[in-house]
Amino acid sequence: MLDFRSDTVTRPSREMRNAMAHAEVGDDVYGDDPTVNSLQAFAAERFGFEAALFTATGTQANLLAIMSHCGRGDEYLCGQSAHNYRYEGGGAAVLGSVQPQPIENEPDGSICLDKARAAIKADDFHFAVTRLLSLENTIGGQALSLDYQRDARAFCDRHGLLLHLDGARVFNAAVTSNCDVTEITRHYHSVSVCLSKGLGAPAGSLLLGSKAFIDRATRLRKMVGGGMRQAGILAAAGRIALELGPLRLQDDHENAAYLSTGLSEIPELEVNPASTQTNIVYARCRAGRAGQLRDYLAERNILINAGDPIRFVTHLDVNRQDVDTLIDTVRRFYRA
Ligand SMILES: *Cc1c(COP(=O)(O)O)cnc(C)c1O
């Protein structure tokens, strides 16, 4: 089965399963799990923050970040297409009583800082208190520029806002920006990172920030039911994902670029190879037969999501030959 639906479908490697089987563990709610503690210390160092917290999911890490930065009746500015606005069940509002103020994303995924400025509420009791700007990198498969992120931090400092990064795929952004990940993360007060996508861990994310911020997030993690016990079993895989995962993301990007070029030669699809920056390729079906294409591919053991546009994602469980198989099969669908 070739699965291009997401990079979350990656399975743990033999090395990860081995590390999981032999991980030293303790009760992490007591702070006793040496493998979790070691992952958190390593991650804090790796991303250049005082402290880190291992969380069940990226959704949980973002929720804890927003709730740790903002109180009841505060608000956060975010993109209209931000994961932590659209795809997290409204958790910040529902569980945190924090109001989102979405702003239309620019075509490159950034949030125009003039529009953000206009969205900051005046000090008036009619309004929620604007506390936080949340960015996402990568967003829609695109990397935010380093200059933009530096400007965004200066903007937040000027207006007394905190700056959070949903960095689910921040290592993909670092590959595209051709820099160490800390060149990105240093602009933020907090960052969330998924270990369970292209990096290959079976589950788990990280939240990074100051010691005081992570202390608040740890309390909230328990509140939302995220205090896991012998979590070292997962952290052992997470450690390998964090150390080795980033080293092979370039392959995923090259496979995505190759896929993008291949699909762009199929007249029934609308693909812009120049817009493929990371491991995600978007294709629009001119004839609008995405559902039929999905079913045709599924019958031939290839999985895709049939959105408009269709999103194809490359990852460690698909290689160049698999991409060729996908392109050929799509071509045959349109010839049939
Ligand atoms: C996947 C993802 C998350 C969180 O995902 P989980 O499935 O909860 O781990 C957050 N933000 C972005 C941008 C993502 O792609």
Side-chain angles (χ1 to χ4, degrees):
M1 199 57 106
L2 304 183
D3 197 339
F4 290 92
R5 290 173 301 170
S6 177
D7 45 8
T8 55
V9 303
T10 48
R11 314 262 165 89
S13 62
R14 189 185 305 269
E15 186 186 2
M16 273 181 194
R17 289 173 189 263
N18 221 12
M20 294 171 80
H22 297 105
E24 243 190 280
V25 295
D27 188 330
D28 184 49
V29 174
Y30 286 97
D32 282 351
D33 191 302
T35 308
V36 171
N37 292 339
S38 151
L39 172 65
Q40 290 176 166
F42 177 80
E45 172 86 29
R46 179 69 192 89
F47 292 99
F49 284 91
E50 273 178 16
L53 187 65
F54 186 55
T55 63
T57 61
T59 299
Q60 187 175 73
N62 282 330
L63 174 66
L64 300 182
I66 294 167
M67 288 178 70
S68 298
H69 286 312
C70 304
R72 184 159 190 248
D74 291 345
E75 75 169 7
Y76 68 109
L77 311 179
C78 59
Q80 186 68 244
S81 56
H83 199 281
N84 62 32
Y85 171 60
R86 278 187 104 100
Y87 303 108
E88 298 183 4
V94 175
L95 303 169
S97 300
V98 182
Q99 161 172 287
Q101 169 61 68
I103 298 165
E104 199 62 48
N105 291 89
E106 299 303 305
D108 68 358
S110 67
I111 293 171
C112 168
L113 297 177
D114 289 334
K115 290 182 190 165
R117 171 71 198 87
I120 297 174
K121 307 295 181 286
D123 179 10
D124 174 323
F125 57 56
H126 291 86
F127 302 137
V129 178
T130 313
R131 291 266 182 227
L132 175 70
L133 172 62
S134 178
L135 298 177
E136 188 171 311
N137 194 11
T138 63
I139 177 162
Q142 302 187 94
L144 299 176
S145 79
L146 296 177
D147 285 351
Y148 170 75
Q149 293 172 94
R150 186 203 52 217
D151 292 349
R153 176 55 185 266
F155 167 85
C156 287
D157 289 348
R158 223 162 31 244
H159 296 289
L161 301 182
L162 294 159
L163 184 60
H164 172 70
L165 177 66
D166 178 347
R169 296 188 181 87
V170 70
F171 280 107
N172 296 84
V175 166
T176 296
S177 297
N178 195 22
C179 68
D180 187 75
V181 74
T182 53
E183 292 301 306
I184 297 173
T185 57
R186 69 193 182 91
H187 296 300
Y188 295 87
H189 294 98
S190 60
V191 176
S192 60
V193 182
C194 280
L195 299 170
S196 58
K197 293 187 169 161
L199 304 184
S205 281
L206 290 163
L207 180 62
L208 299 132
S210 70
K211 172 81 171 59
F213 167 83
I214 292 296
D215 284 348
R216 290 196 296 280
T218 306
R219 174 176 279 276
L220 291 164
R221 186 185 65 173
K222 190 76 185 79
M223 188 198 287
V224 299
M228 296 186 282
R229 301 296 178 173
Q230 283 73 41
I233 300 283
L234 290 172
R239 176 64 176 259
I240 292 171
L242 185 53
E243 287 197 64
L244 302 183
L247 304 178
R248 47 156 313 286
L249 292 178
Q250 180 69 40
D251 296 350
D252 296 345
H253 293 195
E254 284 165 14
N255 285 335
Y258 180 77
L259 172 60
S260 185
T261 305
L263 294 178
S264 73
E265 287 159 7
I266 299 173
E268 290 85 353
L269 293 178
E270 191 182 322
V271 183
N272 177 8
S275 73
T276 302
Q277 295 181 12
T278 62
N279 66 328
I280 301 179
V281 178
Y282 291 96
R284 230 170 250 290
C285 286
R286 293 188 210 273
R289 292 163 65 203
Q292 286 110 301
L293 175 62
R294 178 201 50 214
D295 296 344
Y296 180 89
L297 292 174
E299 282 163 21
R300 287 150 188 86
N301 296 323
I302 302 173
L303 299 180
I304 65 162
N305 279 325
D308 180 31
I310 302 173
R311 189 187 77 153
F312 300 90
V313 186
T314 57
H315 51 75
L316 61 93
D317 289 336
V318 291
N319 59 28
R320 183 59 63 102
Q321 198 189 324
D322 299 332
V323 173
D324 275 324
T325 304
L326 170 62
I327 297 168
D328 281 350
T329 315
V330 173
R331 210 177 266 135
R332 270 189 278 129
F333 167 75
Y334 283 112
R335 279 198 205 126

